[in-house]
Amino acid sequence: VQLQASGGGLVQAGGSLRLSCAASGRTFSRYTMGWFRQAPGKEREFVAAFTWYDNPYYADSVKGRFTISRTNAMVYLQMSSLKPEDTAVYYCAAKTSTGPISDVRNYDYWGQGTQVTVSS
């Protein structure tokens, strides 16, 4: 099982980026797919997730600015109105457990991360 994240980069505040995560190794239609981020010196935090039954969830800090979507083998994070505080390494993840969707410990598979830097 592999997750490959891409799409990060450097963008000015107010700009947009779209992150992609390609899943391979098995069918992910029954997995909840999520995005997390980790800024330097901080813990990894929940950003958004899309359950296998097609409900999206967002952290309060990104509601109205980020949109998560998915196909069977891909998950996307469209990020708009980016702020400097969105700067972090972004990770995609997948889980099958029924634990809290925002808890990093509940995710079984992780991608390698992609850097997003928002300049002011």
Side-chain angles (χ1 to χ4, degrees), residues 17-111:
L17 280 175
R18 189 176 85 151
L19 304 183
S20 300
C21 178
S24 62
R26 62 178 60 196
T27 301
F28 280 82
S29 60
R30 288 286 185 169
Y31 284 66
T32 290
M33 303 294 292
W35 287 96
F36 290 76
R37 65 187 182 187
Q38 189 167 18
K42 295 187 177 181
E43 293 187 350
R44 194 168 297 188
E45 65 175 6
F46 172 74
V47 175
F50 210 114
T51 64
W52 66 268
Y53 45 91
D54 291 344
N55 281 358
Y57 294 85
Y58 298 95
D60 288 342
S61 60
V62 306
K63 279 182 182 176
R65 301 189 298 121
F66 291 11
T67 302
I68 190 171
S69 60
R70 66 180 292 176
T71 65
N72 187 43
M74 296 289 294
V75 60
Y76 304 97
L77 186 68
Q78 179 66 48
M79 306 185 295
S80 302
S81 302
L82 283 161
K83 304 175 182 180
E85 51 263 45
D86 294 318
T87 295
V89 177
Y90 283 70
Y91 298 89
C92 61
K95 77 178 188 80
T96 58
S97 70
T98 57
I101 201 169
S102 61
D103 192 335
V104 65
R105 297 170 296 180
N106 288 327
Y107 285 76
D108 307 298
Y109 305 103
W110 291 86

